[in-house]
Amino acid sequence: MPSMINSLKDALEKKFPGIKLRILRDSLLLEDPQDLTRVAQHVKESPAFRLDYLSSVTASDFLDYLETIYHFYSMEKKSGPWVLRVRVPRENARVPSLTPLYQSAELQEREAYDLFGILYEGHPDLRRLFLWEGFEGHPLLKNYEQENADTLEARDVEWLEAHGVKVPETMKKNAAELKASGKRALVEKPTEPRQA
Amino acid sequence: MTLLDEIKKDGEILEINFGPQHPSTHGVFRMRVLLEGETVRELKPVMGYLHRNQEQIAENTTYAGIVGFTDRMDYINALSNNFSYCLTAEKLASIEVPERAAYIRIIMAELARLINHSAAVGFLLNDLGSFFTPLLYALRERERILDVFEAVTGSRMMCNYFRFGGVKRDLDEDSLAAIKTIVRKFPRFLDEFETLLTSNEILCMRCQNVGVLPADLAVNAGITGPTLRASGVNYDIRKIDRYGLYDRFDFKVPLGKKGDVYDRYYIRILEMRESVKILEQALQALPAGDFIHPKTAPLLRNPRNFKPPVGEAYGRTESPKGELGFYLVSDGTPQPWRCHVRAPSLINLSALEAMCLGQKIADIMIILGSIDIVLGETDR
Amino acid sequence: MKYTENNSTIDPSLRDEMTKQNVFVTTLDFIYNWGRRSSIWPMQFGLACCAIEMIAAAAARYDIARFGAELFRASPRQADLMIVAGTVTKKMAPNVVRLFNQMAEPKYVIAMGACAVSGGPFADGYNVLRGIDRFIPVDVYIPGCPPRPEVLLHGLMQLQKKIDSQSIQKAEWYQKGLKREFPIPELGPHGLVPKFNPEVWQPPETDNRAKHYGHVIRIGKKTKAPNLEPAVSAPPSPNPSAGA
């Protein structure tokens, strides 16, 4: 409903003059990610909105930038959804964390960090949630390279021989070739757009 | 110094790992607990042992193909996930649902709520130590409903029944008669269950005042579903969003007072009674008509024709575990650009540590059981 | 495979005589295997959705107690059978192998469900192991998603027939110096190290998934991100096939 999000934009512009906002379909884009904390505090406490329930924190990869999208609802006034978005560049993706204000953001921000690599500043315990500690890379980014699980690489062959497992010669040769050419065994991804 | 630091200085802390494989039937969930004697001082959950990257798969599958994967998220009641996803996709592409299809969807969703709550109560009592007796009764009723699912949809558990604009197949006369029999006999099963459990001394002593969740923490932590309503907050998405013709039905929303394990157990029994009421009304008022919107039916035979306009949508339903939401971003191709699942089981765990601090080690399992998580949804 | 029969090389009439005197003649293999197969105790190892069907098989309708297997042990040291029910992810795989190593001989593994057999519907993922048979030897494979409880019982019966066909003289677990333990994989930077154990499993020559499934071809590369810029949503088209 466009009128809902317009009223939110007006109220925020009145309270924080000079804030840069833009309406995108039914959501509000905050141009400067650092505004997020004070905006969230205002919507949580202002009697006009009372958005006390942060339903969903999710991230998305739009090739040029990464976005974090927040869905707020109000349990007191039974209204919603109010959608806020924040955009950050891929290289230095830092967004202030909403965990001090809303505890529901704690696990969801960890998930967004795990899958997209966005760093949430102020999060009490930002670690990976689903994948393990030594994992490199952030899987849901569009340029993530997934390993090919059917080809042994040099590291696997070394580990197996150290544990006393016999590796067939062809696999050892393939692994050595891969290591020599400096490539990794990757899953094939499509290279061209699909013809209509 | 915090209490934890003081205890650590004395050297009495024991770290225990409730590892991914343990006899509680919630799945592969790991908790690292710091204990002082028998009291819990810190609890850190570790997830990801069932992370099946369904969001990545959703980016490579057509919209209609994802319906099958949503079944496998909350696998105890697979149909509610279908409902939520189809609602979101219909919002994205502005598809309407004919009346008979909406009634059939409500009937299936409430039957799924019945099987989920009876299984949840059964598993909670399993954790309490009454190994298998209440669970056997609950599974007996669940089998009756699963027979109906099999007759209508072709599969006991992973039903894959809902389509955009309706459902896949109509309800035939035999299945309708079977559902009517179930609805007629279910209150008697609930009475039998309650006689065994509700005023049971062991249940009362072990579950009352254990794992109390205050209402303001529940709202702040994003908890929804029976866990939230047991703490006294009146928030049921069926009444608030009024999606899918739920506003035509007359049912109450049970609320708890204290927010302990006993309230969460009892709320599920009361919700089952309300679901039976909804089912009776739906079966009586079931209209004749199309079971799927005539425009979408031929489309879905070739799923690659379904190209919703560029945009995004967030749709949510009251699944038996809480608010299940789907966030879809479409870029005009047959595959979504981003599909995110707002899983209630993951977010309901935000308050697990707060609920368990200061409790005894034996109570951790029943608090976890009363939140009713399923790992397929938590880890997606 | 059929259940082995109790046939010994004694003259039938002599055997009848002895039965009348309460003397029963059989082979040692028969009695030994009968005892072992009639009370297989599984380990509680449900990972995902197939676990619910396993519990339904243990419930009152599809009773697994008829086969002597109703006692699901929590500890691997006390169990004979590990029913791997559900998706095995790369994060969970080291734990599965560790538990298998902790079981006492003779031990068996049933891979239940499409995910444990070969990765199932999730095989394309970065965190899913394509089948548990990459690291531990599996005795019976049960396909299905999820397989009905009757199918699990059928699989159990096939395992019983396999146990029947084993012989004490050739049993592996009585040989000297046997250590049937498998190396436990570690979690590496991109997946498991190693990706599979070549002594247990080797990839087939033709990659059937790429040949028949080939989702690479169907999706195509997406070069343009969706542009949510227009302030007003496009008017909803009543005909959803209007498309792009």
Side-chain angles (χ1 to χ4, degrees):
Chain A
M1 282 175 282
S3 60
M4 250 168 66
I5 203 78
N6 274 325
S7 70
L8 178 63
K9 180 166 187 256
D10 295 336
L12 286 173
E13 282 176 341
K14 214 159 44 145
K15 170 93 182 176
F16 306 113
I19 193 172
K20 289 200 285 283
L21 302 169
R22 197 153 47 113
I23 292 209
L24 224 62
R25 303 214 179 201
D26 291 331
S27 67
L28 196 60
L29 169 68
L30 289 130
E31 304 271 5
D32 180 12
Q34 301 302 323
D35 281 335
L36 184 62
T37 325
R38 54 180 185 159
V39 166
Q41 187 137 26
H42 175 74
V43 294
K44 186 176 177 195
E45 288 158 6
S46 97
F49 297 108
R50 301 291 286 165
L51 305 185
D52 48 2
Y53 169 42
L54 174 58
S55 162
S56 152
V57 178
T58 183
S60 209
D61 178 358
F62 281 94
L63 294 180
D64 300 324
Y65 48 83
L66 302 175
E67 248 188 34
T68 310
I69 299 124
Y70 299 85
H71 289 269
F72 289 91
Y73 285 84
S74 168
M75 281 205 187
E76 225 180 274
K77 296 184 183 288
K78 317 242 191 281
S79 71
W82 307 80
V83 189
L84 288 179
R85 328 168 90 92
V86 167
R87 285 189 186 166
V88 281
R90 290 175 90 102
E91 292 74 39
N92 190 14
R94 288 172 184 276
V95 174
S97 163
L98 284 186
T99 308
L101 286 171
Y102 296 92
Q103 204 177 332
S104 61
E106 188 185 337
L107 289 175
Q108 301 194 67
E109 285 178 352
R110 274 179 67 185
E111 177 193 340
Y113 164 63
D114 187 6
L115 298 175
F116 285 92
I118 302 180
L119 288 162
Y120 290 91
E121 299 167 327
H123 193 282
D125 186 17
L126 193 67
R127 309 174 268 151
R128 285 188 180 266
L129 187 67
F130 294 143
L131 297 166
W132 53 92
E133 278 304 312
F135 195 85
E136 286 168 13
H138 296 280
L140 278 181
L141 290 174
K142 298 286 175 185
N143 58 354
Y144 174 68
E145 292 163 342
Q146 190 178 328
E147 63 155 10
N148 182 341
D150 289 336
T151 329
L152 287 181
E153 292 179 0
R155 186 197 341 245
D156 303 321
V157 175
E158 278 166 28
W159 192 95
L160 283 166
E161 315 231 284
H163 281 78
V165 175
K166 214 162 66 70
V167 183
E169 287 307 317
T170 45
M171 291 190 195
K172 270 204 258 201
K173 219 158 39 101
N174 284 341
E177 272 172 28
L178 271 178
K179 184 168 178 191
S181 65
K183 292 202 288 233
R184 281 175 45 203
L186 295 174
V187 163
E188 239 184 273
K189 274 178 99 159
T191 44
E192 283 165 16
R194 176 184 158 82
Q195 308 303 322
Chain B
M1 277 212 291
T2 64
L3 177 64
L4 198 53
D5 291 330
E6 283 180 28
I7 302 172
K8 279 188 187 162
K9 196 166 62 103
D10 285 337
E12 279 183 15
I13 287 275
L14 177 68
E15 176 167 348
I16 284 202
N17 189 31
F18 278 81
Q21 187 257 347
H22 57 73
S24 169
T25 42
H26 297 290
V28 282
F29 179 60
R30 181 171 157 212
M31 291 185 282
R32 292 177 43 213
V33 181
L34 292 181
L35 294 172
E36 180 210 356
E38 274 212 12
T39 325
V40 176
R41 292 295 174 211
E42 198 182 274
L43 189 145
K44 292 279 174 238
V46 180
M47 290 164 240
Y49 290 97
L50 199 59
H51 180 59
R52 296 183 279 195
N53 44 61
Q54 288 181 347
E55 300 188 349
Q56 185 216 35
I57 291 176
E59 291 178 8
N60 292 331
T61 319
T62 55
Y63 286 90
I66 299 176
V67 182
F69 284 100
T70 55
D71 276 325
R72 281 134 179 102
M73 285 185 208
D74 180 359
Y75 39 79
I76 298 193
N77 53 331
L79 282 177
S80 341
N81 313 341
N82 284 357
F83 197 177
S84 191
Y85 176 71
C86 287
L87 206 74
T88 312
E90 284 159 11
K91 246 196 220 185
L92 190 63
S94 314
I95 303 176
E96 286 175 6
V97 178
E99 225 183 311
R100 184 180 170 92
Y103 273 79
I104 296 181
R105 281 184 173 189
I106 291 186
I107 292 176
M108 289 293 162
E110 294 304 317
L111 282 174
R113 195 178 308 269
L114 287 179
I115 60 178
N116 181 61
H117 282 330
S118 50
V121 172
F123 286 135
L124 169 65
L125 282 150
N126 234 11
D127 291 340
L128 270 170
S130 68
F131 180 63
F132 238 60
T133 306
L135 184 57
L136 275 180
Y137 294 159
L139 289 178
R140 182 190 69 198
E141 296 306 315
R142 192 184 135 99
E143 293 285 337
R144 285 194 235 273
I145 301 183
L146 288 182
D147 275 347
V148 167
F149 282 169
E150 192 175 10
V152 175
T153 72
S155 159
R156 276 156 56 102
M157 272 168 56
M158 309 305 171
C159 298
N160 197 0
Y161 179 52
F162 287 27
R163 300 282 181 266
F164 307 144
V167 293
K168 174 176 150 195
R169 238 182 115 235
D170 207 349
L171 277 182
D172 52 330
E173 289 303 317
D174 292 333
S175 315
L176 213 51
I179 300 179
K180 286 189 176 133
T181 322
I182 292 176
V183 169
R184 206 178 58 232
K185 294 196 177 156
F186 209 81
R188 220 180 64 171
F189 156 68
L190 280 178
D191 291 335
E192 182 190 33
F193 220 33
E194 277 204 74
T195 318
L196 175 65
L197 296 173
T198 302
S199 11
N200 189 330
E201 194 181 332
I202 300 179
L203 192 81
C204 290
M205 280 181 53
R206 274 206 72 179
C207 291
Q208 283 176 344
N209 294 324
V210 166
V212 177
L213 180 68
D216 46 356
L217 175 63
V219 172
N220 198 9
I223 308 226
T224 47
T227 318
L228 174 72
R229 294 196 281 277
S231 298
V233 180
N234 185 357
Y235 197 75
D236 185 336
I237 301 174
R238 293 175 288 175
K239 291 275 192 194
I240 292 184
D241 280 358
R242 295 200 293 267
Y243 58 89
L245 297 186
Y246 264 110
D247 46 351
R248 293 195 194 175
F249 297 96
D250 170 35
F251 62 100
K252 294 205 271 277
V253 175
L255 291 177
K257 279 200 271 255
K258 270 189 297 200
D260 53 10
V261 173
Y262 187 79
D263 275 351
R264 280 176 233 138
Y265 145 76
Y266 197 54
I267 268 215
R268 295 199 162 96
I269 306 269
L270 291 176
E271 283 196 1
M272 280 200 270
R273 291 196 192 271
E274 299 296 323
S275 289
V276 168
K277 265 198 243 169
I278 299 181
L279 276 170
E280 285 168 359
Q281 294 167 37
L283 286 168
Q284 226 173 7
L286 184 66
D290 291 324
F291 59 89
I292 191 169
H293 196 277
K295 292 230 166 76
T296 58
L299 257 184
L300 293 176
R301 255 175 238 136
N302 187 352
R304 250 167 263 134
N305 280 338
F306 183 76
K307 293 194 244 215
V310 174
E312 64 172 16
Y314 180 75
R316 60 180 195 159
T317 58
E318 175 80 20
S319 104
K321 301 205 154 55
E323 169 188 329
L324 176 64
F326 276 83
Y327 172 69
L328 276 173
V329 177
S330 149
D331 61 343
T333 59
Q335 292 88 19
W337 180 263
R338 171 89 170 108
C339 169
H340 172 75
V341 182
R342 188 258 184 226
S345 298
L346 175 69
I347 296 173
N348 286 355
L349 286 176
S350 310
L352 180 65
E353 187 172 0
M355 277 196 269
C356 284
L357 284 181
Q359 309 284 335
K360 302 279 182 249
I361 184 176
D363 294 334
I364 299 179
M365 296 321 297
I366 57 174
I367 295 177
L368 185 65
S370 71
I371 303 180
D372 189 20
I373 59 166
V374 70
L375 260 294
E377 206 176 44
T378 311
D379 288 346
R380 259 159 279 133
Chain C
M1 279 195 287
K2 300 192 348 258
Y3 283 107
T4 51
E5 291 167 3
N6 177 22
N7 40 5
S8 49
T9 51
I10 288 194
D11 186 29
S13 54
L14 178 58
R15 191 200 297 199
D16 289 340
E17 261 309 308
M18 292 209 274
T19 318
K20 290 197 191 100
Q21 313 276 344
N22 288 339
V23 176
F24 177 60
V25 182
T26 180
T27 56
L28 198 57
D29 267 348
F30 178 77
I31 284 282
Y32 180 69
N33 287 338
W34 171 78
R36 279 194 312 130
R37 72 159 155 84
S38 307
S39 84
I40 305 181
W41 287 357
M43 184 168 71
Q44 277 176 358
F45 202 61
L47 295 168
C49 346
C50 285
I52 308 295
E53 290 290 46
M54 192 169 71
I55 295 173
R61 190 179 186 188
Y62 307 101
D63 201 4
I64 208 174
R66 304 178 269 171
F67 298 88
E70 84 270 9
L71 216 53
F72 280 76
R73 308 305 300 175
S75 157
R77 304 271 187 204
Q78 301 166 356
D80 306 303
L81 168 69
M82 182 161 90
I83 306 182
V84 183
T87 318
V88 188
T89 55
K90 292 184 184 171
K91 196 169 177 181
M92 188 66 193
N95 299 321
V96 179
V97 182
R98 201 173 283 138
L99 283 168
F100 180 74
N101 286 345
Q102 287 176 355
M103 283 167 73
E105 292 280 359
K107 54 190 176 186
Y108 303 95
V109 176
I110 290 185
M112 174 180 177
C115 292
V117 167
S118 73
F122 305 102
D124 289 328
Y126 50 83
N127 193 28
V128 172
L129 190 66
R130 290 190 190 171
I132 189 59
D133 59 348
R134 287 188 173 209
F135 289 105
I136 56 180
V138 172
D139 293 303
V140 177
Y141 295 85
I142 303 183
C145 191
R148 288 186 60 114
E150 291 113 327
V151 181
L152 174 61
L153 294 176
H154 180 72
L156 190 62
M157 284 163 63
Q158 296 291 92
L159 181 68
Q160 288 182 333
K161 290 183 190 159
K162 179 169 181 174
I163 294 179
D164 252 346
S165 66
Q166 292 179 326
S167 146
I168 301 184
Q169 290 170 331
K170 304 201 204 62
E172 296 179 311
W173 50 91
Y174 286 138
Q175 292 165 10
K176 277 197 181 1
L178 172 78
K179 251 170 65 81
R180 213 157 75 113
E181 284 189 2
F182 293 88
I184 302 175
E186 287 165 7
L187 299 170
H190 300 288
L192 282 175
V193 172
K195 295 180 188 167
F196 54 87
N197 186 344
E199 282 181 352
V200 179
W201 179 87
Q202 289 186 5
E205 282 97 35
T206 57
D207 188 356
N208 291 315
R209 288 194 78 245
K211 198 165 92 168
H212 296 291
Y213 186 45
H215 70 279
V216 166
I217 308 167
R218 290 180 188 175
I219 300 291
K221 187 172 157 93
K222 290 197 177 179
T223 46
K224 219 164 46 98
N227 189 5
L228 294 173
E229 284 306 323
V232 178
S233 318
S237 56
N239 186 356
S241 71

